[in-house]
Amino acid sequence: MWNDLGEYIANLGDSNSENPSKVVEIAIGKFFYVSNYLKKCENIDLFKTDISPANSEIIKDDVTNPNLNLYKNTRVIYSIRPPSELQPYLGNLADKTRAILIIKPFFNEDLNIGKKMKLVNYKKAIFYQYTPSSYFANPIY
């Protein structure tokens, strides 16, 4: 299932560009299955953030008050099992950065994003996707 989610995210990257697509995992914690898959993809430039980084590969950032410079030119933001209180901040960040947002909640958890998300079934992975209406516009900054 986790490789299927990684494959879906990698497919959102631009394979026709010389520059890899920037993908950011927010609140990674100590769960690295999807990020390990994405690190192997040549078309992906992966950044991982958390408020309490577990290692030096993870950038410290608080999604409730994000450093927007970290997210400049991001194509996809994803979070696996984010706490419901962080979900609205993820949606706001997606709007500000004009990035696609993917959330993989716990199976029995309701979303608390405050935006209309599409349920996606991709192979064995089930998750939600939000694409801001401004996704295809030029980046804000």
Side-chain angles (χ1 to χ4, degrees):
M1 168 182 60
W2 299 116
N3 283 345
D4 294 339
L5 179 57
E7 179 181 303
Y8 183 87
I9 294 168
N11 287 339
L12 293 174
D14 188 357
S15 60
N16 296 323
S17 173
E18 293 178 11
N19 299 321
S21 296
K22 186 173 181 179
V23 173
V24 179
E25 180 170 357
I26 295 179
I28 188 170
K30 297 176 182 169
F31 186 84
F32 302 111
Y33 293 111
V34 177
S35 63
N36 286 342
Y37 179 93
L38 292 171
K39 282 195 317 190
K40 299 174 190 173
C41 299
E42 293 180 9
N43 68 322
I44 299 298
D45 185 14
L46 179 65
F47 286 77
K48 300 170 278 190
T49 69
D50 199 283
I51 196 163
S52 299
N55 62 49
S56 61
E57 291 181 9
I58 301 169
I59 299 167
K60 182 176 179 145
D61 193 46
D62 180 357
V63 73
T64 65
N65 185 25
N67 175 354
L68 291 178
N69 288 327
L70 292 175
Y71 303 94
K72 186 176 181 183
N73 299 320
T74 296
R75 187 173 186 100
V76 179
I77 294 170
Y78 74 97
S79 189
I80 298 171
R81 301 176 182 147
S84 62
E85 62 270 12
L86 292 184
Q87 293 175 12
Y89 295 100
L90 294 168
N92 292 340
L93 185 59
D95 283 334
K96 288 178 184 175
T97 61
R98 299 178 179 167
I100 293 172
L101 173 63
I102 293 176
I103 293 180
K104 171 69 173 139
F106 280 110
F107 289 111
N108 61 349
E109 186 177 33
D110 292 329
L111 289 178
N112 182 33
I113 189 170
K115 300 180 184 308
K116 186 175 181 180
M117 296 193 80
K118 177 176 89 170
L119 179 64
V120 177
N121 291 290
Y122 182 79
K123 297 183 179 181
K124 293 182 181 179
I126 301 169
F127 51 91
Y128 291 90
Q129 179 175 325
Y130 168 69
T131 304
S133 59
S134 59
Y135 174 70
F136 295 102
N138 292 328
I140 294 173
Y141 40 83

